[in-house]
Amino acid sequence: MEIDIETIDRTGGYNPYQLTWGEEIAFPSTRKLTEYGNRVYNRYPARSIFLVPRAILSQHKNKRFNVLDPFMGSGTTAVETILSGNMPVGVEMDPFARLIANVSSTIFNEKDFASLNNVFEEILRSWSTFAPAYTPKLAGIERWFKENDLKKLLSLKNCIKTLTPSKYLSFMMVAYADCIKPVSLMERQSLKPYISRKHPKETKGVIDSFVYSYKAHLDAIKQMTEVATPANIKWIGDDATNFRTESPYIDLAITSPPYINALDYTRCVKIEGAMCDCIDNEIAADMRNVQVGHENRKNEDINNTVYKTFKPWYDKILPKDKGRANTCMAYFNDIYKNLICVYQALRLNGEYHIIIGDNIIKKVEVPTHKIIASLAESVGYKWFGIYKYQIKDHRTSIPRDNVKNKIQYEYVLMLKK
């Protein structure tokens, strides 16, 4: 099924409940999909495509739903939930991601926009008179900037935090965060912080970069404001493997969990997070210990159902790399715990839609979507649908043996309580 970008509207361009089992749909290039929340800090790593939650939500219009994303990230599901007139509920461990998600789902009015512009103009007039804020407590942060640029960035932050009213501070800090990478020595095309010695980067000016970022984010929020009704994200936890609700009240859950040992999200945005006072050395270390898919999870106790389910692939990976085999086992153990948490939060007949790609680990093909579906059925879910789409734009810079080892497809599992 081919979806043309010109025909995409509020329905996402397709009806997931009418697709045949395993059907492939073809999305347009994600680089062309730049509306609403995808425009707020759009370099956040591994952001999911917004058309999936949009298509699911467009088919549920009978009542106001509570929609959970237990791996909220930067808020793609929350934005689509608000656009559809429903209530977003989230779980997310990264305080910087939570900041972005909150701003992505912000709705301002015309008076707010006027006030924001007044603050912005005052910042431009005054920033150079402010002393630099304290350098973030993140080891080696100075190496990512030219010395004078770091001082300017810290003076700008001090000015922003001093002059901006609390109502607008989160928005202004996300605009500030988005200007940091262009100013830094980090390569723009690499998700992970990286400085090229072979091709030194030409950095942008601090204020030029901030002005560009502010205007881009203001346009994104204005676009959101034109079509959405205000609804704040209800945060119910920071650990997707261990959260509880007092009683089942979630109607839909939609998420895109991390891949197996694929991307260190903490590392990807640690510089920006630290510059916004969201992350420091201690917080970054703590997050790695709870990040689903991270190698630090490989020594946790494994549920017997998970062990039996993943054992055929575990036995193939183990002789090649014991650490990686244990990391994969721990990954599915964490996903299993997440499936239980979401199941307990869902109302009867509530649905859980999971967007996930398969993996190649040490040349062993791991059918991640099938393993997760099997674990879900053991929890009590009914697996009632599945479809897939090809990933057209690989934004990650994860080392692979060759291009064939890149994740080619993402699957959408449709589960029901």
Side-chain angles (χ1 to χ4, degrees), residues 96 99 136 157 161 173-174 176-178 180 271-279:
F96 182 55
L99 173 68
K157 180 173 76 171
K161 299 191 84 168
M173 289 308 296
V174 169
Y176 170 77
D178 200 45
I180 289 169
I271 309 300
E272 295 92 328
M275 291 294 286
C276 289
D277 301 325
C278 293
I279 298 172

Side-chain angles (χ1 to χ4, degrees), residues 95 197 223 290 361:
R197 294 182 180 180
Q223 186 185 34
V290 299
I361 307 295

Side-chain angles (χ1 to χ4, degrees), residues 134-145 150 186 193 195 266-267 269-275 279-285 288:
Y134 290 111
T135 302
K137 295 180 180 179
L138 192 72
I141 193 169
E142 293 89 351
R143 72 180 289 262
W144 302 104
F145 302 93
L150 179 58
M186 294 181 282
I195 299 175
T266 304
R267 181 184 176 192
V269 293
K270 68 178 182 179
I271 309 300
E272 295 92 328
M275 291 294 286
I279 298 172
D280 57 23
N281 289 320
E282 184 176 351
I283 294 173
R288 287 194 179 95

Side-chain angles (χ1 to χ4, degrees), residues 138-259:
L138 192 72
I141 193 169
E142 293 89 351
R143 72 180 289 262
W144 302 104
F145 302 93
K146 296 176 182 177
E147 182 179 356
N148 196 43
D149 285 342
L150 179 58
K151 288 180 178 179
K152 289 180 179 179
L153 280 169
L154 293 174
S155 293
L156 177 59
K157 180 173 76 171
N158 192 9
C159 179
I160 290 171
K161 299 191 84 168
T162 300
L163 298 182
T164 307
S166 58
K167 181 177 182 179
Y168 309 122
L169 185 56
S170 292
F171 170 85
M172 204 66 81
M173 289 308 296
V174 169
Y176 170 77
D178 200 45
C179 87
I180 289 169
K181 197 164 190 178
V183 172
S184 76
L185 298 170
M186 294 181 282
E187 288 298 314
R188 290 183 65 88
Q189 301 306 314
S190 174
L191 283 174
K192 297 179 181 180
Y194 167 73
I195 299 175
S196 174
R197 294 182 180 180
K198 186 175 181 180
H199 302 288
K201 175 185 168 186
E202 184 177 341
T203 60
K204 302 291 185 181
V206 171
I207 297 304
D208 287 345
S209 181
F210 176 63
V211 169
Y212 179 87
S213 176
Y214 170 83
K215 291 181 178 179
H217 282 75
L218 192 70
D219 286 344
I221 298 300
K222 283 183 176 180
Q223 186 185 34
M224 182 81 171
T225 297
E226 291 173 356
V227 294
T229 302
N232 295 326
I233 299 171
K234 179 180 180 181
W235 296 103
I236 60 171
D238 57 11
D239 185 349
T241 70
N242 184 24
F243 67 91
R244 295 289 183 271
T245 55
E246 293 182 1
S247 61
Y249 73 96
I250 300 299
D251 301 284
L252 278 173
I254 306 170
T255 200
S256 178
Y259 292 133

Side-chain angles (χ1 to χ4, degrees), residues 10 36 79 82-84 106-107 223-230:
R10 293 295 295 276
Y36 310 127
V79 169
I82 293 170
L83 287 170
S84 65
T106 294
I107 307 295
Q223 186 185 34
M224 182 81 171
T225 297
E226 291 173 356
V227 294
T229 302

Side-chain angles (χ1 to χ4, degrees), residues 26 37 110 120 132 139 149 156 163 173 238 269 278 307 317 319 353 379 390 406:
E110 289 302 319
F120 174 67
D149 285 342
L156 177 59
L163 298 182
M173 289 308 296
D238 57 11
V269 293
C278 293
Y307 179 79
I317 301 170
H353 298 250
V379 170
Q390 187 174 14
K406 284 184 178 291

Side-chain angles (χ1 to χ4, degrees), residues 124-139:
L124 295 186
R125 286 192 295 268
S126 307
W127 75 272
S128 62
T129 66
F130 280 73
Y134 290 111
T135 302
K137 295 180 180 179
L138 192 72

